[in-house]
Amino acid sequence: TQSTRPQRMLAAVHNNATRGDPRSVVKAIDQFCRQKEWAMNIGDEKGCILDSVVSEVNPAMVLELGTYCGYSTVRIASQLPPHAKIITLEFNPQNAAVARQIIAWAGLGEKIKLIEGSSGDWIPKLKEQFGVDTFDLVFLDHWKDRYLPDTKLMEECGLLRKGSILLADNVICPGTPEYLEYIRNSPRYKSQYFKSHLEYTRVEDGLEKSIFLG
Ligand SMILES: O=c1[nH]cnc2c(O)cc(-c3ccc(F)cc3)c(-c3ccc(F)cc3)c12
Ligand SMILES: [Mg+2]
């Protein structure tokens, strides 16, 4: 039967990355996406901006909305201090199955909790189910129409504290106009735009970094 793109990406990781070496997993995926098949990982150019935000925040608790195949999950987790954790939500079971194997290959299973399901369902359950207090960093990379409702949901569920950082992918391509309008005009956030390009292309895209002011 026909393989899927995520399955071919996983094969590229098994064939080209060293087990237990997260940077080689990231490199193998970027190589696959540049040379073989485009895929919607954040990629290396926006990935470097992600890396700099992660190292600046040095988070103990991270929430990622949208795992896909685990590229950014691995990229973030490889930079976390010991005992720090990332919870990542993925809606698509096929993507989640591939992400679990890519995360395992990178050797980061201890730092990463992958939850299958919708962000709207799971965000209200994170405190009771996983003993989460607040998140130091949230990476929004799931579905453009969910960025704003999920941000409001995180506020309502008390998952953000003064100083929590939200980093949102794709605010230009495909674009998240309602989210940008809210976050840039709300007195409860201070935002900054990082201009970049859509992964593996020359199309403009960017990341929006926002600090929750409480
Ligand atoms: O959905 C996305 N979630 C998280 N990151 C994404 C990303 O980094 C890129 C894209 C993207 C795909 C194709 C294209 F031409 C331009 C942008 C998408 C996306 C957008 C609309 C779609 F219909 C399906 C995928 C996502
Ligand atoms: Mg994205």
Side-chain angles (χ1 to χ4, degrees):
T1 56
Q2 182 63 19
S3 69
T4 65
R5 181 167 307 182
Q7 284 169 334
R8 293 191 291 273
M9 189 188 297
L10 173 60
V13 166
H14 284 153
N15 295 331
N16 303 305
T18 308
R19 194 199 290 260
D21 176 357
R23 300 312 299 180
S24 75
V25 167
V26 167
K27 193 168 175 298
I29 294 173
D30 282 331
Q31 210 163 346
F32 173 80
C33 292
R34 283 197 184 285
Q35 294 167 8
K36 300 284 191 327
E37 304 180 57
W38 187 93
M40 62 175 172
N41 317 116
I42 192 172
D44 206 35
E45 188 181 313
K46 288 187 289 180
C48 287
I49 300 168
L50 172 64
D51 291 349
S52 62
V53 171
V54 173
S55 65
E56 176 200 334
V57 177
N58 201 34
M61 271 308 287
V62 182
L63 176 62
E64 177 180 61
L65 302 178
T67 317
Y68 185 43
C69 294
Y71 173 94
S72 50
T73 326
V74 164
R75 200 156 178 148
I76 295 167
S78 69
Q79 281 188 264
L80 292 181
H83 314 302
K85 296 273 184 280
I86 175 169
I87 292 177
T88 183
L89 307 186
E90 176 53 45
F91 179 71
N92 178 306
Q94 288 72 39
N95 293 349
V98 166
R100 291 187 198 286
Q101 295 175 79
I102 287 179
I103 288 162
W105 194 263
L108 291 166
E110 293 303 301
K111 289 178 160 303
I112 298 165
K113 173 79 185 157
L114 196 162
I115 300 171
E116 270 179 59
S118 94
S119 50
D121 294 344
W122 275 103
I123 285 171
K125 295 181 193 164
L126 293 175
K127 286 196 179 233
E128 62 182 311
Q129 297 272 331
F130 299 103
V132 169
D133 178 16
T134 56
F135 289 107
D136 306 303
L137 173 65
V138 181
F139 178 49
L140 296 92
D141 191 25
H142 52 337
W143 182 243
K144 55 192 172 55
D145 298 341
R146 289 299 316 172
Y147 283 28
L148 182 51
D150 286 345
T151 296
K152 291 181 171 174
L153 199 50
M154 287 186 286
E155 290 174 15
E156 286 152 19
C157 296
L159 288 166
L160 305 179
R161 53 136 173 108
K162 189 192 287 285
S164 291
I165 302 289
L166 303 188
L167 186 67
D169 190 25
N170 309 116
V171 296
I172 302 300
C173 179
T176 60
E178 295 82 11
Y179 174 77
L180 281 188
E181 205 270 335
Y182 173 81
I183 208 92
R184 289 177 173 172
N185 296 306
S186 167
R188 303 183 76 187
Y189 293 90
K190 180 93 185 70
S191 288
Q192 185 182 3
Y193 174 63
F194 292 83
K195 184 177 160 76
S196 186
H197 295 94
L198 176 70
E199 48 267 27
Y200 317 116
T201 77
R202 301 161 63 130
V203 173
E204 183 180 342
D205 190 18
L207 300 173
E208 187 82 359
K209 178 190 170 198
S210 306
I211 306 179
F212 185 59
L213 303 173

